[in-house]
Amino acid sequence: MKRPALAAAAALFAVGALLTGCGSTHGSGSDSGGTSAGASKAPQEAQQKYRQQLEEATAEHDRAFPTVAQTCAGKPTAVPTSPASPAASGPQPENPKYGENHAYLKTTTLSPLEECRGDAHAARVAAELARQTPADPEQAKALLTRLGYPDAKVAQAGQGVQFSFFVPQVGPCLSGTLSNPPRIEVHGPYIEGGCEPSRGGH
C-alpha cells in the first residue's frame, strides 16, 4: 500500500517541533535573538505547510467521494481528549511489560470526522457486497479498485477474503473480511504505521 499522502506532512511537522526544542536550548548573547527568531519561524512554516497539504488532500478526497464528503460535512476534526485514568490499583499483570510488548497492536484515535468518514466508506463497501460477494482475492481486489481503493491489500481467509486499506488521501483505515455478511472495522493506523499490525511485539 502506498504511504498515505499526509504521512510526509506529519513528518515535516515533527521536524518543525524538533527545531523548536533546539532553538530553546542553544545560544546566548548577540546571536541568540536571530537564532531564536529562526527557530520559532521554522515550526510555524511547517504547521502552515501541513495545514495546506491537509486541505489539498481533503479536497482531493471530497472530489473523489462526494457522497462521503456530504455525509460528514461539519463533523469536528479534533481528536477528543479523554480524562487521565486513575492510577492502577490491585493485582498487576504477571508480566508488567505486557502493555509495552503489545503496543504494536494499538491504533491511533479517530476524530469524529474520521469516524464518520470511515463509517461512510464502510457503508459503500457493504452496499457493493450486497450485490456481489468476491469469491477470491482477485475478485476482491477488482471490486475494491472499482470503488476507489486501488491500494487495498487482500488475502484469502477461510470462506471470505481479508482486506485492509487506508481511505485515499485522508484515512482512516478499513479492514476486515469481505464475506456474506461482511465484517468491516473502522480504525486509525497502527502506532507503528500502516493499517495492519506489525508481525510480533517488542
Side-chain angles (χ1 to χ4, degrees):
M1 186 182 301
K2 293 182 180 177
R3 186 181 182 189
L6 293 180
L12 182 62
F13 181 81
V15 170
L18 180 61
L19 290 175
T20 303
C22 293
S24 64
T25 57
H26 289 289
S28 61
S30 58
D31 292 337
S32 62
T35 303
S36 298
S40 63
K41 186 177 180 181
Q44 292 176 357
E45 293 176 347
Q47 291 175 14
Q48 183 177 0
K49 186 170 184 178
Y50 174 78
R51 285 194 296 267
Q52 180 180 353
Q53 290 181 329
L54 177 60
E55 291 173 358
E56 292 173 354
T58 300
E60 187 170 343
H61 166 273
D62 292 352
R63 284 193 296 270
F65 305 100
T67 303
V68 174
Q70 183 178 7
T71 299
C72 300
K75 293 288 184 181
T77 59
V79 175
T81 56
S82 56
S85 56
S89 60
Q92 296 297 309
E94 182 177 343
N95 179 3
K97 288 189 172 290
Y98 180 88
E100 178 182 336
N101 293 340
H102 290 76
Y104 71 99
L105 295 174
K106 295 181 179 178
T107 58
T108 58
T109 302
L110 298 180
S111 69
L113 173 59
E114 290 169 326
E115 289 182 352
C116 177
R117 188 182 284 145
D119 289 342
H121 280 281
R124 293 182 75 244
V125 175
E128 186 66 19
L129 290 174
R131 292 188 286 270
Q132 173 193 357
T133 300
D136 52 45
E138 289 73 21
Q139 290 185 10
K141 183 69 174 179
L143 182 151
L144 293 172
T145 298
R146 186 169 68 252
L147 289 176
Y149 316 113
D151 294 330
K153 294 182 179 180
V154 297
Q156 191 67 44
Q159 299 300 313
V161 177
Q162 286 184 341
F163 78 97
S164 68
F165 64 82
F166 184 84
V167 171
Q169 304 299 327
V170 292
C173 295
L174 270 69
S175 60
T177 305
L178 302 178
S179 55
N180 189 12
R183 181 184 62 80
I184 304 175
E185 179 186 359
V186 177
H187 59 89
Y190 284 87
I191 297 298
E192 296 188 351
C195 290
E196 297 178 305
S198 60
R199 297 183 182 277
H202 298 292

